[in-house]
C-alpha cells in the first residue's frame, strides 16, 4: 500500500501531542524520524517505503553507529522509529514491525545532576514570597506553582505524572497527605508528601475553590492552565510545567529543571535512609533499576548533597 511517509510521520507526532507528551519529547521524536528520512534519501534518493527488509534494518543500524558515537543517541533513534512502525502497523500499512528484532545497545545512564539544596531552599522561598506579594488570579497561579514544586521535590513526580493528577489524587493520611500515581501498565501507588506540603496545599485548594465559585467554573484536575486574565482549562500539560521552569531559570539565573529537582528528591530520600526498594516504588521504576550512580555521587561529595525536607513556612 502506497502512503506519504512525511504525512504519516506528522500524524504520528500529533498523536504523541494528544497523548500528553511534552513539547521537547515531540520535538525529539521529530528529529529522530528526520534522521531516518535522511538515511532513506542517502540510500534510495526518495522517501517511499513499500517494504523495509531485515537487510535495510541492518544498514540503518550501521548508519546510526557510524553517525553517532553515543549508544544512547542510537538507542533513542531506534526506539522512535520502532514506535513509528508500530503506528504504521496499527494502520495496516505494514504486516509487521521490522525494527522489533533490531539489536540495540543497553541504555547508558548519565550521572545525576541535582539542583543543589541551597538553590532548592532559595527557590521555595521565592515562590512563597510571590504568593504574599500578589492577589487574585496571579496569587492563585503562584500557589499552584508552589504545589508543583512540592510534588516534584517532595514526592519525586515527573512532569508527565503531574499532567494526570486530580484533586482525588491527593489522599489524606492522618496528619499528612499522600499523592496517588496511576499508570496504565501497573497498579496505582502512593507517595507520602512532606509536612511543608500541608498548608501550601490547603491554601491553594481554598483559593482555587473560591475562584471556581466566582467564575462558575467546574474542574476536577489538581492543576490548571491559565493566561494573565483567566483559567483556560483544567490540567497542566508537561509543556506547561516546562514553561514554569523556564521562567524560573531566567529570573534566578539557575540551571534548575524539573528533572534536576526530581533528582534532588532522590538524593533527599537516600539521605533519609529510605530503602532502595521503596525509592524505586515511589519513582515508578522496575526493581532492576539501579541507584548506583546516585550512591557514587554521594560518596564523592557527601557534604554537598545532604538534601532534606523543606521547613514549614509561616502562613500566607
Amino acid at each position: 500500500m502506497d502512503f506519504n511517509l512525511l504525512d504519516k510521520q506528522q500524524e504520528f507526532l500529533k498523536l504523541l501531542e494528544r497523548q500528553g507528551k511534552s513539547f521537547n519529547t515531540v520535538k525529539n521524536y521529530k528529529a529522530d524520524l528526520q534522521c531516518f528520512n535522511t538515511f532513506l534519501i542517502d540510500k534510495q534518493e526518495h522517501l517511499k517505503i513499500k517494504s523495509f527488509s531485515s537487510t535495510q534494518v541492518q544498514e540503518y543500524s550501521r548508519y546510526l553507529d557510524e553517525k553517532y558515537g553515543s549508544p544512547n543517541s542510537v538507542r533513542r533513534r531506534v526506539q522512535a522509529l520502532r514506535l513509528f512502525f508500530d503506528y504504521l502497523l496499527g494502520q495496516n500499512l505494514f504486516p509487521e514491525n521490522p525494527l522489533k528484532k533490531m539489536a540495540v545497545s543497553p541504555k547508558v545512564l548519565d550521572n545525576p545532576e541535582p539542583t543543589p539544596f541551597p538553590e532548592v531552599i532559595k527557590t521555595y522561598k521565592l515562590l512563597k514570597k510571590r504568593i504574599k506579594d500578589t492577589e487574585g488570579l496571579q496569587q492563585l497561579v503562584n500557589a499552584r506553582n508552589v504545589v508543583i514544586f512540592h510534588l516534584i521535590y517532595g514526592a519525586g513526580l515527573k512532569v508527565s505524572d503531574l499532567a494526570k493528577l486530580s484533586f482525588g489524587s491527593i489522599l489524606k493520611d492522618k496528619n499528612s497527605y499522600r499523592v496517588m500515581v496511576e499508570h496504565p501498565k501497573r497498579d496505582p501507588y502512593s507517595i507520602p508528601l512532606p509536612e511543608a506540603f500541608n498548608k501550601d496545599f490547603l491554601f491553594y485548594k481554598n483559593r482555587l475553590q473560591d475562584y471556581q465559585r466566582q467564575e462558575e467554573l467546574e474542574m476536577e484536575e489538581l492543576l490548571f492552565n491559565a493566561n494573565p486574565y483567566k483559567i483556560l482549562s483544567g490540567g497542566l500539560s508537561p509543556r506547561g510545567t516546562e514553561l514554569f521552569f523556564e521562567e524560573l531559570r531566567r529570573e534566578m539565573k539557575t540551571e534548575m529543571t524539573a528533572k534536576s529537582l526530581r533528582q534532588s528528591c532522590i538524593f533527599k530520600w537516600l539521605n533519609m535512609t529510605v530503602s532502595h526498594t521503596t525509592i524505586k516504588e515511589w519513582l515508578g521504576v522496575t526493581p532492576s533499576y539501579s541507584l548506583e550512580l546516585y550512591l557514587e555521587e554521594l560518596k564523592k561529595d557527601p557534604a554537598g548533597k545532604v538534601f532534606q525536607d523543606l521547613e514549614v513556612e509561616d502562613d500566607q
Side-chain angles (χ1 to χ4, degrees):
M1 182 185 297
D2 287 332
F3 61 91
N4 186 300
L5 180 64
L6 293 178
D7 285 349
K8 290 300 173 184
Q9 289 177 350
Q10 194 62 32
E11 290 176 11
F12 172 67
L13 295 172
K14 288 187 178 299
L15 174 63
L16 296 179
E17 290 177 353
R18 292 196 298 273
Q19 291 174 342
K21 302 296 184 185
S22 72
F23 173 83
N24 283 341
T25 297
V26 175
K27 183 176 70 173
N28 288 337
Y29 271 101
K30 183 177 181 179
D32 295 340
L33 293 177
Q34 183 56 46
C35 176
F36 177 63
N37 296 348
T38 301
F39 164 77
L40 291 178
I41 294 293
D42 288 347
K43 293 296 179 181
Q44 61 185 32
E45 299 183 353
H46 59 76
L47 291 176
K48 294 181 179 179
I49 50 168
K50 290 185 178 180
S51 64
F52 200 63
S53 67
S54 58
T55 300
Q56 289 171 300
V57 169
Q58 291 170 4
E59 287 180 354
Y60 188 54
S61 178
R62 288 193 294 270
Y63 173 83
L64 292 176
D65 288 337
E66 292 171 3
K67 187 175 179 63
Y68 300 101
S70 165
N72 282 350
S73 295
V74 174
R75 180 186 180 87
R76 197 187 80 185
R77 283 161 178 80
V78 172
Q79 178 65 5
L81 190 59
R82 181 180 287 134
L83 290 176
F84 176 61
F85 269 101
D86 277 343
Y87 174 74
L88 296 179
L89 182 64
Q91 295 200 337
N92 297 316
L93 296 174
F94 266 79
E96 61 180 0
N97 189 330
L99 275 293
K100 286 293 186 184
K101 297 180 181 179
M102 184 172 175
V104 185
S105 302
K107 184 175 182 179
V108 178
L109 297 177
D110 296 326
N111 287 333
E113 297 182 356
T115 301
F117 187 54
E119 199 168 302
V120 172
I121 297 174
K122 181 180 177 182
T123 304
Y124 179 53
K125 289 183 175 180
L126 169 69
L127 296 175
K128 293 279 285 185
K129 184 176 185 300
R130 285 180 176 180
I131 294 176
K132 293 179 180 179
D133 293 346
T134 54
E135 58 184 19
L137 179 58
Q138 187 56 56
Q139 184 183 63
L140 180 56
V141 171
N142 291 330
R144 179 206 67 183
N145 293 342
V146 170
V147 170
I148 292 173
F149 195 83
H150 279 304
L151 291 170
I152 297 175
Y153 181 70
L157 296 194
K158 302 189 294 290
V159 293
S160 56
D161 295 328
L162 297 176
K164 303 169 187 173
L165 295 180
S166 67
F167 271 96
S169 304
I170 306 299
L171 311 174
K172 196 76 172 69
D173 183 17
K174 295 182 180 179
N175 296 323
S176 59
Y177 291 91
R178 301 179 71 91
V179 57
M180 183 172 64
V181 182
E182 299 184 75
H183 286 288
K185 295 183 179 180
R186 60 171 294 180
D187 293 334
Y189 60 96
S190 65
I191 307 164
L193 285 154
E195 184 183 356
F197 174 80
N198 296 3
K199 289 183 179 179
D200 291 338
F201 170 66
L202 290 176
F203 179 87
Y204 168 66
K205 182 179 180 181
N206 290 335
R207 289 295 186 278
L208 181 58
Q209 288 176 339
D210 290 344
Y211 181 90
Q212 287 180 279
R213 282 193 293 268
Q214 293 170 9
E215 300 296 323
E216 299 183 350
L217 176 67
E218 293 186 6
M219 192 177 77
E220 296 296 328
E221 294 86 353
L222 177 64
L223 306 175
F224 60 81
N225 176 38
N227 63 24
Y229 310 104
K230 66 177 182 178
I231 289 179
L232 300 175
S233 62
L236 186 65
S237 69
R239 178 56 180 162
T241 303
E242 289 170 357
L243 289 173
F244 160 54
F245 278 93
E246 286 178 12
E247 185 269 332
L248 268 183
R249 287 196 292 276
R250 286 193 298 270
E251 177 166 345
M252 298 189 64
K253 305 295 190 291
T254 176
E255 298 299 319
M256 178 190 295
T257 63
K259 180 180 179 180
S260 71
L261 187 62
R262 185 173 187 250
Q263 290 179 341
S264 300
C265 175
I266 297 172
F267 278 106
K268 178 191 70 173
W269 286 336
L270 289 171
N271 283 319
M272 294 168 64
T273 65
V274 177
S275 76
H276 292 190
T277 299
T278 300
I279 291 176
K280 292 175 188 180
E281 288 176 356
W282 291 348
L283 292 175
V285 298
T286 62
S288 62
Y289 181 86
S290 175
L291 295 171
E292 189 60 33
L293 290 177
Y294 290 88
L295 298 172
E296 289 297 324
E297 288 296 313
L298 282 175
K299 290 177 185 177
K300 293 177 191 174
D301 185 22
K305 295 185 174 66
V306 180
F307 294 87
Q308 59 193 48
D309 278 338
L310 299 169
E311 295 182 0
V312 178
E313 296 267 315
D314 294 334
D315 289 340
Q316 281 85 8

